[in-house]
């Protein structure tokens, strides 16, 4: 299915000027409905000017009316030779300057919640380099202490459809190689919706770093130590007054 020209800008215009559902807009523009919701919330495509698909002869106004009347109606794109192959990206992914500082956080999220992804897949999704991915995997990145995992879809670095496709390919390759995902790895897999609802992970202040494993509970080693018997009466035995006077004379 062909997409309209300037798909993201078209989605911005449809969000601002129609009452179409996120799924209808996503299907028409080749985007995931959560990505369209991000546009509505202002988290995705911030600053992108809407592109009118009706004025550009890509969509009939009647199609919009039909879509607004029925949430199950799928908009039909008018044939536009210039839009053919629009979904095919040529060359490496370009990441805007405003988004480049978020790439390490996105890489950390992918490494944490999708360990089955290869470095080449992560590099293609967020537009980064393999040395950067390796440093984050091995936690040797210079800013690793200040990084927190953030979904790349929420950051606008990739589409949900692209992420889902990469995860499916990685899972199929892993199954073909005979590797079985462990329970811990399976529990780490989360959806974008779940990821967006997750709060920031609490961080320990640097002044008490390294005390995570400190415990006040009684250890097994303490059981091996001999216990000194304490007589309760000894707490009430006070020294004789004569001994105190002798000490004062000295």
């Amino acid at each position: 299915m062909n997409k309209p020209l300037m798909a993201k800008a078209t989605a911005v215009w449809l969000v601002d000027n129609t009452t179409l559902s996120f799924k209808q807009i996503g299907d028409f523009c080749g985007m995931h409905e959560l990505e369209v919701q991000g546009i509505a919330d202002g988290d995705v495509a911030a600053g992108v000017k809407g592109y009118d698909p009706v004025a550009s002869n890509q969509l009939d106004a009647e199609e919009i009316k039909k879509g607004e009347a029925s949430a199950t109606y799928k908009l039909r794109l008018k044939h536009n030779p210039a839009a053919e192959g629009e979904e095919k990206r040529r060359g490496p992914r370009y990441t805007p300057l405003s988004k480049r500082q978020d790439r390490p956080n996105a890489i950390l999220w992918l490494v944490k919640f999708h360990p089955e992804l290869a470095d080449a897949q992560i590099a293609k999704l967020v537009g980064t380099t393999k040395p950067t991915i390796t440093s984050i995997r091995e936690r040797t990145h210079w800013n690793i202490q200040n990084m927190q995992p953030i979904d790349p879809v929420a950051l606008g670095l990739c589409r949900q459809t692209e992420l889902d496709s990469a995860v499916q390919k990685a899972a199929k390759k892993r199954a073909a190689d005979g590797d079985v995902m462990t329970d811990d790895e399976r529990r780490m897999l989360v959806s974008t919706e779940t990821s967006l609802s997750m709060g920031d992970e609490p961080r320990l202040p640097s002044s008490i770093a390294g005390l995570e494993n400190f415990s006040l509970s009684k250890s097994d080693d303490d059981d091996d130590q001999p216990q000194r018997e304490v007589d309760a009466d000894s707490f009430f035995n006070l020294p004789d007054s004569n001994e105190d006077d002798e000490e004062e004379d000295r």
Side-chain angles (χ1 to χ4, degrees), residues 211-223:
L211 299 180
E212 308 92 83
N213 299 326
F214 180 78
S215 175
L216 294 176
S217 61
K218 185 178 180 181
S219 63
D220 296 338
D221 296 338
D222 295 339
D223 296 336

Side-chain angles (χ1 to χ4, degrees), residues 3-31 36-37 39-40 48-56 58-61 63-65 67-68 74-77:
K3 297 189 302 182
L5 288 171
M6 302 176 62
K8 185 168 291 187
T10 299
V12 171
W13 188 92
L14 292 173
V15 168
D16 293 339
N17 296 277
T18 69
T19 58
L20 296 170
S21 67
F22 295 150
K23 181 170 177 54
Q24 287 175 307
I25 298 175
D27 291 342
F28 179 72
C29 298
M31 303 167 62
V36 179
Q37 183 178 354
I39 293 176
V48 175
K49 184 179 180 180
Y51 185 67
D52 188 350
V54 178
S56 60
Q58 299 185 91
L59 183 66
D60 287 331
E63 287 290 303
I64 296 178
K65 292 180 181 179
E68 291 176 334
K74 291 187 177 181
L75 302 177
R76 291 182 295 180
L77 176 68

Side-chain angles (χ1 to χ4, degrees), residues 2 10 24 32 35-36 49 55 59 83 98 102 107 126 128 132 135 158 168 172 179 182 188 217 221 223:
N2 290 329
T10 299
Q24 287 175 307
H32 194 276
E35 191 173 359
V36 179
K49 184 179 180 180
L59 183 66
S98 59
D102 296 327
I107 298 171
V126 300
T128 186
T132 302
S135 65
C158 68
Q168 291 174 3
K172 289 181 180 179
D179 294 337
T182 64
M188 284 195 301
S217 61
D221 296 338
D223 296 336

